[in-house]
Amino acid sequence: NAGVTQTPKFRILKIGQSMTLQCTQDMNHNYMYWYRQDPGMGLKLIYYSVGAGITDKGEVPNGYNVSRSTTEDFPLRLELAAPSQTSVYFCASSLTAYNEQFFGPGTRLTVL
Amino acid sequence: ILNVEQSPQSLHVQEGDSTNFTCSFPSSNFYALHWYRWETAKSPEALFVMTLNGDEKKKGRISATLNTKEGYSYLYIKGSQPEDSATYLCAFRSNTNAGKSTFGDGTTLTVKP
């Protein structure tokens, strides 16, 4: 099992550009999450999904979009990148809401 | 927005010391509380899943307790070792929306040899 994989590992964007952060899990987990981690802060939930076709906003959804067309994949789309979106992004998955989350390795994004 | 607070923010101890830190969360609508360990340059890894008031979990020298009625959980590390140095996060889920997980900002533990 690869677990949770994320691509890319690093990316530099210019202000106004768009990109998609990819996340895939091979554990057949129903729940998937996107978090951002800003320096000196904990993890803030951007979006989450409780199953294919179902997504909902977290604490900090503005400037992002998600989709969940399959159980395995949960891409995060940044439209019109802004410097405030400079952060480390983590994708995670869990079997149910009770179960622990498994995290991907993270994507470090810089917007200049 | 749910308020999940961890204290202290950071802790420096000597090897062999025992230590503990706190996660505070809303005392109503409890669903689950998770503890994670986050080493520098790695991803968070789960330590404990706590779901019932009075839960006590243990893994080696690390243990955790849960009080859902008063809204807190304690994490204890007995005989700290340098390899315990990490940030410890708690994550709270409410039964009003169990799919949404709210993390505290973490307690960063540094254990000096």
Side-chain angles (χ1 to χ4, degrees):
Chain A
N1 277 1
V4 180
T5 57
Q6 292 182 239
T7 56
K9 285 191 170 58
F10 305 95
R11 183 73 185 267
I12 298 175
L13 280 182
K14 293 183 180 177
I15 294 172
Q17 287 185 319
S18 301
M19 76 164 294
T20 299
L21 280 65
Q22 301 292 344
C23 175
T24 300
Q25 54 92 8
D26 63 359
M27 297 174 282
N28 204 31
H29 284 175
N30 296 312
Y31 288 68
M32 294 188 75
Y33 317 83
W34 274 106
Y35 296 93
R36 56 178 288 171
Q37 187 229 350
D38 299 325
M41 308 287 285
L43 296 168
K44 299 298 181 191
L45 183 65
I46 304 171
Y47 271 94
Y48 67 100
S49 168
V50 301
I54 308 170
T55 63
D56 205 351
K57 296 178 182 178
E59 298 170 79
V60 289
N62 291 345
Y64 307 94
N65 277 301
V66 293
S67 60
R68 182 109 182 260
S69 55
T70 67
T71 299
E72 295 79 19
D73 300 306
F74 191 41
L76 178 72
R77 177 86 177 157
L78 279 72
E79 305 282 2
L80 299 174
S84 60
Q85 293 177 304
T86 294
S87 190
V88 181
Y89 291 83
F90 287 96
C91 179
S93 72
S94 66
L95 182 61
T96 70
Y98 270 132
N99 297 106
E100 68 272 34
Q101 295 177 56
F102 292 83
F103 285 81
T107 294
R108 185 174 294 274
L109 176 68
T110 303
V111 182
L112 300 174
Chain B
I1 296 179
L2 297 172
N3 200 23
V4 179
E5 295 185 351
Q6 292 188 245
S7 61
Q9 189 174 12
S10 64
L11 204 50
H12 295 255
V13 302
Q14 290 293 135
E15 182 175 354
D17 288 350
S18 292
T19 185
N20 66 85
F21 17 97
T22 305
C23 173
S24 300
F25 50 84
S27 58
S28 58
N29 301 314
F30 178 86
Y31 189 79
L33 191 284
H34 298 164
W35 280 100
Y36 294 85
R37 172 190 158 88
W38 193 359
E39 292 181 70
T40 302
K42 294 188 177 180
S43 302
E45 291 185 348
L47 282 172
F48 301 116
V49 174
M50 312 190 79
T51 56
L52 295 174
N53 186 43
D55 256 355
E56 292 187 17
K57 297 285 177 80
K58 187 174 180 181
K59 187 181 287 189
R61 293 178 292 98
I62 305 177
S63 60
T65 61
L66 178 69
N67 185 323
T68 61
K69 295 188 189 308
E70 296 183 37
Y72 64 83
S73 178
Y74 292 141
L75 190 78
Y76 300 92
I77 302 180
K78 186 177 177 182
S80 302
Q81 299 297 308
E83 58 264 31
D84 294 330
S85 297
T87 296
Y88 292 84
L89 299 170
C90 65
F92 171 79
R93 291 183 192 259
S94 166
N95 61 17
T96 60
N97 188 348
K100 188 181 283 192
S101 183
T102 301
F103 278 81
D105 285 341
T107 293
T108 299
L109 174 67
T110 304
V111 182
K112 300 176 186 175

